[in-house]
Amino acid sequence: MSDLFATPPAAPAPQDGEPDQMSIRAQLQRMRPTPYLEGLNPEQREAVENIDGPLLVLAGAGTGKTRVLTTRIGHILATRSAMPWQILAVTFTNKAAREMKNRIGTLIGGNVEGMQWLGTFHSIGVKILRRHAELVGLKSNFTILDTDDQLRLMKQLIQAQGLDEKRWPARQLNTLIDGWKNRGLTPEQVPQDEAYYFAQGNGVRLYSAYQERLKILNACDFGDLLLECLRLFRENPDVLAEYHNKFRYLLVDEYQDTNIAQYLWLRLLAQGSQNICCVGDDDQSIYGWRGAEVDNILRFEEDFPGAKVIRLERNYRSTAHILAAASHLITFNEGRLGKTLHAQIEDDEAEKVTVTSVWDSEEEARTIGDQIEDLQRSGHNLNEIAILVRASFQMRTFEDRFVTMGLNYRVIGGPRFYERAEIRDALAYFRAMVQPADDLAFERIVNTPRRGLGDATLKLVHDHARSRGIPLMEAANELVQTAELKPRPRNALKNLLEQFTHWRTMLASLKHTELAEMILDESGYTEMWQNDKSADAPGRLENLKELVRSMEEFDSLPGFLEHIALVMDRDNAESNEAVSIMTLHSAKGLEFDSVFLPGWEEGLFPHQRALDESGTRGLEEERRLAYVGITRAKKRAKIYVASNRRIHGLWQNSVPSRFLDELPPKHVDVEESQSTYGGYGNSGIGGNIYGKSRFDSSDPFESTYDTPGWKRAKGSGTKKTGKAKQTRYGGGPASSSKVIDGELVAKSVSDTPSQFSQGERVFHQKFGYGTVISIDGNKLLIEFSTGQKRVLDNFVERH
DNA sequence: ACAGTGCAATTTTTT
DNA sequence: ATTGCACTGT
């Protein structure tokens, strides 16, 4: 390994095609010996300088993870251990990639264009795949499908198999196949027993059928971008060797989020230099539900023999109270490598973490709104304030309240620009024009706007295409020459095809943005929305304009299409001051002075579904989510519990989250809600029928552990009792009297897929009593008096 | 071909 | 309560 230093890759004489080599060398020359290492703490410095061999950097929240990563790259460059294009640096999101690029730019003073292999897993996957497409049965101009396209394709396949789409939804098949792909499994590799998961043993059959269709369409889905790379490397050792040779250093961000396919991909590539550095935090792994394997990070030392592990535990972000709360909470997780954050910020005035009990979600929004106004009055910037929710339906209450208050807010996340229907329609037009063989694009827009080309006509085109083995557009072209179609649809179709031909002739002569506008206008698509009277039509037209505007940055239509296939996000640099509202998931990686954490109730947080579907594993992931939430706060973390919440239109009274009991009382203040109105006299919903609530006792943290349901839920209650403050939980009778112990908690922690058994008597809100006939995961087939129904198990209860 | 009706589900999200 | 969907009837 050390001979890398003995014989540095000898910056050769400048060659054509190696971008900006001279300028980078010149920049490096100008650098002082190691100014970039100053200001790093010893662990960070070790992580930066230790560039040979496998290294895992366990970087807790706020410990300077990105700084280490970028400085390390800077160091590799400065020591001439590798040239920019010999470094492979992967991230998960485009945002992270962009940020890293910027920071490296600042570090080395400018040009980072030489770093061609800094990007997301997927973008690097595409890059590799396009070079060797023919080796895996694709052409190098293959299209990349998104979820929408995938679903439509799968729906077709399910129909083709004569299966009932209601019973076997495409969505579910997609999840299944996606799961297999995440685990790096091709259809042949899917384990026997799993092959039967979908529609009585059709799972794998559909998977291979799907893959065959993709090949015919010359298309890949996101999973394939990695999976096909794996196949490429395995079947072509020479190709793999080429990349071994190329990549001297590998760096991976957010390693705890990698799935198995990504792990295999990395491992194959790392076999070359062995210089792989993964940075991550097992305590922040919150994407298990979409295939991330915490195990990857937990097993690092076995996977990469001789690996070093460096822990970054000095936190530069939060106050000691906040860190203590988060650290204590996370110790309740068992599957973790273990790390303790130490506060570097000293602040004797620091506020403790607060827990506030409120009556319902509206009081919650009111209280938080008022507190934000207070902060604002005392000079805090709204951009430094965030509300982090578990589920997006919680956002609405806050939006409603903030609109009434006139408080500026912004919702982060939500539907992405490029996923909106109007944008996808427009893109489908462009795709169908650029790639006449793109059947999915053609299908999408053939009758949008309405042209009178319905199912009947489409079926004829399909059949013709199928029998001739040609793309839909071509088949349509042939069909309109014949008399097989009725005059009306025939003309409509002929018109459309002629328009496409017309547009294609303009491709060379017209500027791509003008052509785009022309297509949208001439096709009648713009008109369709102009005539639409619904409230969001103007917004959609605005989006279409925005789309054309964003095309300006690219020099051709195909170039633009390639870009957006991978980069589904858009920079919205909103400059005005506003409170951010987002989910806990989308808050990862961000930080705010003040963080509000509403909805800490059993069933919502931890979410019932996480518990039901993944048991203890699910609970631990929820706990990590709580950890992520708290550690976003620099100065203030404020938690809220509502006694009542409306779920699916029904009012339910709720049990405070078990996570509250896992916070260290020493660092927490329990507060009364500021706005106490709203509680009194409202006993109709869940009056104090159970007598004294456990929150009437003196110490909430202690008392909750005495609840039988609590003990059952947790398995063991091993927390010490003697405690400090005599703080009251819910203060007024309004909030304290509504809590009913038990059931929800007790039943939440089950490791079994379904807690029901065959032949059992159950009750359903709507269908009444019934008997369980069969069980498929969490889906039950039940015989009711009105007939058999398929129901999710959380919709019925034992009887 | 399309509009209106009834039924079922409803965590988290990137590429 | 709301919403998105599949099916039915014109």
Side-chain angles (χ1 to χ4, degrees), chain A residues 163-205:
Chain A
L163 293 165
D164 178 6
E165 327 163 49
K166 202 122 194 201
R167 240 182 108 172
W168 307 108
R171 179 104 214 149
Q172 194 181 316
L173 178 63
N174 188 44
T175 314
L176 187 67
I177 293 182
D178 215 52
W180 283 329
K181 289 190 174 178
N182 284 156
R183 285 157 60 200
L185 299 171
T186 60
E188 305 79 54
Q189 295 168 320
V190 173
Q192 274 292 314
D193 53 323
E194 288 181 41
Y196 289 87
Y197 276 7
F198 191 82
Q200 290 105 21
N202 278 298
V204 168
R205 190 127 36 96

Side-chain angles (χ1 to χ4, degrees), chain A residues 344-407:
Chain A
Q344 302 298 302
I345 290 175
E346 277 186 43
D347 183 357
D348 297 334
E349 309 276 278
E351 295 173 33
K352 291 189 177 183
V353 173
T354 66
V355 175
T356 308
S357 169
V358 292
W359 170 247
D360 62 7
S361 55
E362 270 157 43
E363 190 189 317
E364 187 177 58
R366 223 162 27 228
T367 308
I368 291 178
D370 291 348
Q371 297 196 4
I372 291 175
E373 270 188 340
D374 287 348
L375 286 171
Q376 196 179 16
R377 262 193 293 275
S378 52
H380 291 85
N381 187 324
L382 291 185
N383 290 329
E384 280 299 323
I385 299 175
I387 298 170
L388 311 182
V389 298
R390 171 67 247 262
S392 38
F393 75 85
Q394 293 172 264
M395 293 179 179
R396 221 182 110 182
T397 326
F398 290 100
E399 292 193 60
D400 286 350
R401 181 65 191 151
F402 293 171
V403 167
T404 349
M405 292 172 62
L407 185 63

